[in-house]
Amino acid sequence: MDEETLESPLQGTETVEEDAGQNAEKNSCKGDTVEEDIGQRSEKKSSEIDETNEAAPESSDGVNAIGSPSSGPMKEKATEEKEEAKSSGGEPPVDWFEPLEDDDDDAESNDRNDPEEESLAGESERSESVGGSESTFKKIYQLHAPRRKRSHPDEGWVECPALGEGWKRKEVVRRSGSSIGQKDVYYLSPRGDRVRSRVELISVLEGQDLSNFEYKTGKFYHGETPLPRIRSRKRKVRERSSSESSWMERGEGADTPDSHHRLTPSLGSKNVNSNHSNAPLNSTVGSPNQGSHSEDPPAEDKIKLPGPSSSQPRPLPSINGEIGSEDSILICARCGISFTGTWYDKQRKRPCCPSCWAASKTKEHPMIRFRKWIPCGQCVGCHNTDNCGQCANCKHGLQSPESRRRICRKRKCICPIRKGPGSGGFMQQRPYSDVSETFDDSMSFQGEVTDSQHPSLKSSDTENFSVNVDVDDEDELSTDDDDDWHKKRKRRSCGECKACLCRKDCGTCDFCIDKPKFGGSNKKRQKCRLRQCQRQAMRHLLPFQMGQGDYGPDGPLPPGRPRPHYTYSRKLGLKKTKGSQMGYDLSDNEDDDSNLQPVSAQRLWSFILFPLCS
DNA sequence: GCCAACGTTGGC
DNA sequence: GCCAACGTTGGC
Ligand SMILES: [Zn+2]
Ligand SMILES: [Zn+2]
């Protein structure tokens, strides 16, 4: 979908264009920029529903609270979130993305103190408000209105002829909260539909082509002025944490206020679109539905995480709750500190504080082992001297300054199983002893670290988050090694052996049988055993004959690489081998020298025929 | 957009 | 520790 692409927070390397766009924005629609609280927006919605007598409500806090007592009104969420914050860590609050009550302290502190009472109040109120009558709206408005300073809802609207007669546009700058300074753009249709996002706009303007419309600026672009965010991006970006993508400086999402309400994986723009006919303005929010997560498309395609623009000061994480309101406190799953904001790890399962996130970006995170690729000097890649001119890196290099050029992928070492001086392999890049450089003493994880004899290996918490990370400099710190990630997916095959060169599946091995094309259920999803690389395939993927035999400490090494075991996926009770000490990464067996191509493998392969490949 | 298949996870 | 299962990714 276009809008998914357009609004993807991952869209962005175009900070510059973005800025330019913002300037253009001012010029195009001449909109007064209204300053507004984040939290206000939810209030304002109710009030505007009132004032415009708008039948189609527009958000969960406005709509669901009115129409459905069971549909997850924000007050309940607020309570839950608070509970979450109290119980250290755990899963993120389901609606953490809601800009709840994290603003103006002076005015709100009273309300905040008793969320349960508030919740109850909201409940009874909702129970009365079945039909969403005008009086109900007013009641809600009155209930909420005194709680925050608000800009007048009629304020700041300017004509936006680009969308047609009667359309209005409004910019709102947030005055507080974690995304302070961020500018939201709203539209108001001639019918009074209030639009907070591109998707909503599309819904309201059913059938109209908005592909050239830039939500943020309120302008249509024609041909020669491509919208910067439309550029396709490599999926490699996915490897970056959602936390990073939560910085919305890049895409248009940064300016669609609605984007902050569309953060649960199950609540993507897809849902929005499927919901668009009658109530376009309430479709982007709903009660969280965690269950459907796995069936959704990759979350990154549609999730936007809230966060301030990069051009604005980033909120400092609060250390153990000292800073920030209780409502938005999360417990970092990595270091254990509490922090305000909405940072999450790349799987969006655990909160990840800005420090940890930043540390991971700067390769200084104590819980992560960063490794760098060292060319072996022997493999095909290393022996290649000519750039292919075709690969992404070659193409990239054509447009890049010298400092950012990358080595041709055909010339990169493909030899993942070798390591050591003069040999390819991962080298640890950052010692654990650097922990203290990055983290403050007050951070709770330090206690855990010192409690254990060995910070990186003994603490269970540390264990859980001790991750091997192949350094990926793709975007930030380009070096010659910046496409190791690319290689990572290649490292099961040498590309040269008979098995690698074989293009045909045997159709009879278990992996083949599993394939849909052979009538299988696609559960194993592995390459035909006979096509598993003779040199680099995982041992357990090789033909069965090869795994058997008299391999032992004194005998020949078994062929193939052993299956890696991922220590970070294990919880408690792991026993570490003695070699698994600081600076030695044995958690990923690919680095183990025992994985070196054993002579016996070649011999064994001579027993495997390749009738399909010869 | 589809597909092959890689890497990781959780259950046992 | 093994392995079935599956989310994810790069190539086409
Ligand atoms: Zn096969
Ligand atoms: Zn091979």
Side-chain angles (χ1 to χ4, degrees):
Chain A
M1 272 298 300
D2 246 13
E3 55 266 39
E4 287 180 11
T5 306
L6 298 180
E7 295 198 353
S8 168
L10 305 176
Q11 287 302 307
T13 52
E14 294 85 11
T15 312
V16 173
E17 288 102 320
E18 188 68 22
D19 291 338
Q22 299 217 353
N23 294 334
E25 177 178 356
K26 290 222 170 75
N27 299 332
S28 67
C29 266
K30 297 169 286 191
D32 294 328
T33 296
V34 179
E35 290 193 352
E36 182 181 349
D37 250 32
I38 306 169
Q40 280 175 0
R41 287 176 294 128
S42 54
E43 308 302 332
K44 187 158 56 65
K45 290 161 204 159
S46 296
S47 66
E48 286 179 7
I49 289 168
D50 181 20
E51 287 161 22
T52 59
N53 200 19
E54 171 56 62
E58 58 187 70
S59 75
S60 64
D61 41 333
V63 179
N64 294 339
I66 292 162
S68 163
S70 62
S71 56
M74 70 181 273
K75 300 308 169 205
E76 291 172 7
K77 292 173 203 158
T79 307
E80 287 169 16
E81 213 165 83
K82 215 162 200 175
E83 306 257 330
E84 279 296 332
K86 283 175 192 164
S87 65
S88 61
E91 289 298 303
V94 287
D95 255 354
W96 51 269
F97 48 84
E98 285 275 6
L100 289 173
E101 295 158 318
D102 53 345
D103 35 10
D104 299 350
D105 300 333
D106 46 353
E108 266 66 58
S109 54
N110 289 340
D111 295 66
R112 251 183 242 148
N113 290 339
D114 196 344
E116 290 201 77
E117 183 180 320
E118 197 171 79
S119 177
L120 289 173
E123 199 68 45
S124 63
E125 164 194 302
R126 286 186 297 277
S127 63
E128 304 172 5
S129 55
V130 179
S133 67
E134 188 173 320
S135 66
T136 301
F137 282 118
K138 282 200 167 131
K139 185 169 183 181
I140 292 177
Y141 176 41
Q142 285 161 4
L143 184 80
H144 291 178
R147 298 179 59 225
R148 289 189 179 89
K149 299 175 295 204
R150 306 186 307 114
S151 61
H152 193 281
D154 288 339
E155 190 179 308
W157 291 103
V158 295
E159 296 295 327
C160 190
L163 287 175
E165 191 164 349
W167 276 90
K168 292 183 174 167
R169 182 176 173 280
K170 176 184 185 177
E171 292 177 10
V172 175
V173 173
R174 298 177 189 176
R175 294 185 312 198
S176 63
S178 60
S179 54
I180 184 172
Q182 182 172 320
K183 196 188 299 175
D184 297 330
V185 179
Y186 301 92
Y187 291 90
L188 190 63
S189 82
R191 295 187 313 167
D193 297 321
R194 194 173 141 86
V195 177
R196 296 174 301 152
S197 72
R198 182 182 184 84
V199 247
E200 287 185 356
L201 188 59
I202 290 169
S203 297
V204 173
L205 291 170
E206 274 179 292
Q208 286 197 33
D209 179 19
L210 294 180
S211 55
N212 287 325
F213 181 74
E214 189 171 43
Y215 183 94
K216 183 185 56 186
T217 61
K219 290 169 77 175
F220 279 95
Y221 288 88
H222 300 288
E224 76 289 349
T225 314
L227 299 181
R229 62 187 180 280
I230 291 184
R231 290 176 202 157
S232 65
R233 291 177 64 81
K234 290 176 57 179
R235 286 172 81 175
K236 191 170 182 178
V237 171
R238 292 180 113 266
E239 292 307 318
R240 306 159 92 182
S241 157
S242 66
S243 303
E244 180 184 28
S245 56
S246 74
W247 294 106
M248 300 175 64
E249 71 272 34
R250 290 155 174 165
E252 185 176 40
D255 297 296
T256 61
D258 173 57
S259 60
H260 298 270
H261 300 259
R262 202 189 314 133
L263 300 160
T264 308
S266 58
L267 298 176
S269 50
K270 200 176 221 171
N271 295 356
V272 170
N273 290 334
S274 65
N275 218 354
H276 63 76
S277 55
N278 284 331
L281 299 182
N282 75 344
S283 54
T284 53
V285 201
S287 53
N289 181 5
Q290 317 266 22
S292 61
H293 174 92
S294 63
E295 293 176 9
D296 281 334
E300 286 80 352
D301 290 339
K302 30 184 211 179
I303 291 178
K304 281 188 288 293
L305 299 175
S309 159
S310 66
S311 59
Q312 302 295 336
R314 296 186 175 193
L316 290 173
S318 69
I319 304 303
N320 294 332
E322 286 179 11
I323 308 172
S325 77
E326 193 178 324
D327 298 276
S328 54
I329 289 177
L330 297 175
I331 308 295
C332 176
R334 294 190 174 180
C335 66
I337 70 164
S338 56
F339 65 101
T340 57
T342 52
W343 300 62
Y344 276 74
D345 68 2
K346 76 172 187 178
Q347 297 195 332
R348 295 179 178 73
K349 290 178 180 173
R350 301 188 184 102
C352 178
C353 74
S355 291
C356 285
W357 173 237
S360 71
K361 291 300 294 179
T362 55
K363 308 174 187 177
E364 292 178 358
H365 198 290
M367 309 304 171
I368 301 180
R369 295 165 224 170
F370 291 97
R371 299 172 300 178
K372 202 92 178 165
W373 196 260
I374 309 295
C376 73
Q378 298 164 22
C379 69
V380 200
C382 290
H383 281 149
N384 272 342
T385 52
D386 298 326
N387 292 334
C388 73
Q390 304 293 318
C391 71
N393 286 357
C394 283
K395 288 172 180 169
H396 175 87
L398 295 177
Q399 314 151 3
S400 302
E402 192 72 31
S403 61
R404 288 190 62 84
R405 291 212 181 140
R406 305 166 185 172
I407 190 169
C408 168
R409 284 182 174 169
K410 301 291 183 196
R411 294 176 55 200
K412 298 215 66 164
C413 174
I414 59 161
C415 226
I417 60 171
R418 306 282 168 92
K419 72 173 184 183
S423 304
F426 285 121
M427 298 286 284
Q428 179 161 346
Q429 213 174 28
R430 181 95 187 174
Y432 287 97
S433 55
D434 288 352
V435 165
S436 57
E437 294 174 9
T438 318
F439 291 87
D440 190 276
D441 284 340
S442 64
M443 294 188 179
S444 57
F445 86 91
Q446 283 257 330
E448 295 164 13
V449 168
T450 48
D451 282 344
S452 57
Q453 291 185 347
H454 202 289
S456 66
L457 301 172
K458 295 293 173 74
S459 159
S460 62
D461 281 347
T462 313
E463 173 103 20
N464 289 344
F465 301 110
S466 170
V467 181
N468 297 317
V469 174
D470 299 351
V471 175
D472 181 3
D473 301 319
E474 179 83 32
D475 290 324
E476 306 289 342
L477 305 163
S478 180
T479 72
D480 284 349
D481 296 314
D482 58 8
D483 63 349
D484 293 342
W485 205 258
H486 170 79
K487 181 165 44 224
K488 187 176 176 183
R489 283 195 62 97
K490 295 274 187 187
R491 65 187 175 189
R492 278 200 209 169
S493 57
C494 70
E496 293 188 312
C497 71
K498 205 162 189 176
C500 282
L501 294 173
C502 178
R503 293 287 111 191
K504 282 198 170 177
D505 293 326
C506 75
T508 57
C509 72
D510 55 335
F511 293 152
C512 282
I513 291 170
D514 171 66
K515 292 177 189 298
K517 68 179 178 184
F518 292 119
S521 55
N522 201 31
K523 286 179 177 170
K524 295 175 186 290
R525 300 183 191 172
Q526 303 299 326
K527 194 161 64 176
C528 169
R529 285 193 186 273
L530 297 191
R531 293 177 50 220
Q532 298 287 344
C533 176
Q534 300 174 30
R535 297 171 185 165
Q536 294 169 203
M538 300 282 198
R539 193 173 298 155
H540 70 282
L541 301 174
L542 293 169
F544 293 122
Q545 306 94 303
M546 294 185 64
Q548 299 163 359
D550 193 15
Y551 303 111
D554 300 324
L557 289 169
R561 303 160 52 206
R563 178 194 283 267
H565 60 278
Y566 302 101
T567 57
Y568 53 86
S569 71
R570 291 292 179 180
K571 304 295 179 192
L572 297 169
L574 269 185
K575 293 174 196 161
K576 288 285 179 178
T577 61
K578 64 178 192 299
S580 191
Q581 299 289 332
M582 176 186 292
Y584 296 89
D585 173 22
L586 299 186
S587 65
D588 187 342
N589 290 348
E590 73 186 321
D591 290 348
D592 195 320
D593 280 337
S594 68
N595 293 330
L596 289 175
Q597 167 67 24
V599 178
S600 61
Q602 295 286 7
R603 206 163 344 119
L604 260 168
W605 271 105
S606 67
F607 296 109
I608 311 290
L609 299 177
F610 290 92
L612 302 165
C613 310
S614 309

Coordinates of all heavy atoms in Angstrom, one line a residue, chain A residues 505-509 512 528-530, ligand 1:
Chain A
D505 N 16.1 -29.5 -6.7 CA 15.8 -30.3 -5.5 C 15.7 -31.7 -5.8 O 15.1 -32.1 -6.9 CB 14.5 -29.7 -4.9 CG 14.7 -28.3 -4.4 OD1 15.8 -28.0 -3.9 OD2 13.7 -27.5 -4.5
C506 N 16.1 -32.5 -4.9 CA 16.0 -34.0 -5.1 C 14.5 -34.4 -5.0 O 14.1 -35.4 -5.6 CB 16.8 -34.7 -4.0 SG 16.1 -34.8 -2.4
G507 N 13.8 -33.7 -4.3 CA 12.3 -34.0 -4.2 C 12.0 -35.2 -3.3 O 10.9 -35.6 -3.1
T508 N 13.0 -35.8 -2.7 CA 12.8 -36.9 -1.9 C 13.3 -36.8 -0.4 O 12.8 -37.5 0.5 CB 13.5 -38.2 -2.5 OG1 14.9 -37.9 -2.6 CG2 12.9 -38.5 -3.8
C509 N 14.2 -35.9 -0.2 CA 14.6 -35.7 1.2 C 13.5 -35.0 2.0 O 12.6 -34.5 1.5 CB 15.9 -34.8 1.2 SG 15.7 -33.1 0.8
C512 N 12.8 -31.5 1.1 CA 12.1 -31.3 -0.2 C 10.6 -31.7 0.0 O 9.7 -31.0 -0.4 CB 12.7 -32.2 -1.3 SG 14.2 -31.6 -2.0
C528 N 16.9 -28.3 0.1 CA 17.1 -29.7 -0.1 C 18.5 -30.1 0.5 O 19.5 -29.5 0.4 CB 17.1 -29.9 -1.6 SG 17.7 -31.6 -2.1
R529 N 18.4 -31.2 1.1 CA 19.6 -31.7 1.8 C 20.8 -31.9 0.8 O 21.9 -31.7 1.1 CB 19.3 -33.0 2.5 CG 18.6 -32.8 3.8 CD 18.6 -34.1 4.6 NE 17.7 -33.9 5.8 CZ 18.1 -33.4 7.0 NH1 19.3 -33.0 7.1 NH2 17.2 -33.3 7.9
L530 N 20.4 -32.3 -0.4 CA 21.5 -32.6 -1.3 C 22.1 -31.3 -1.9 O 23.1 -31.2 -2.5 CB 21.0 -33.4 -2.5 CG 20.5 -34.8 -2.1 CD1 20.3 -35.7 -3.4 CD2 21.6 -35.5 -1.2
Ligands
ZN1 ZN 16.0 -32.7 -1.4

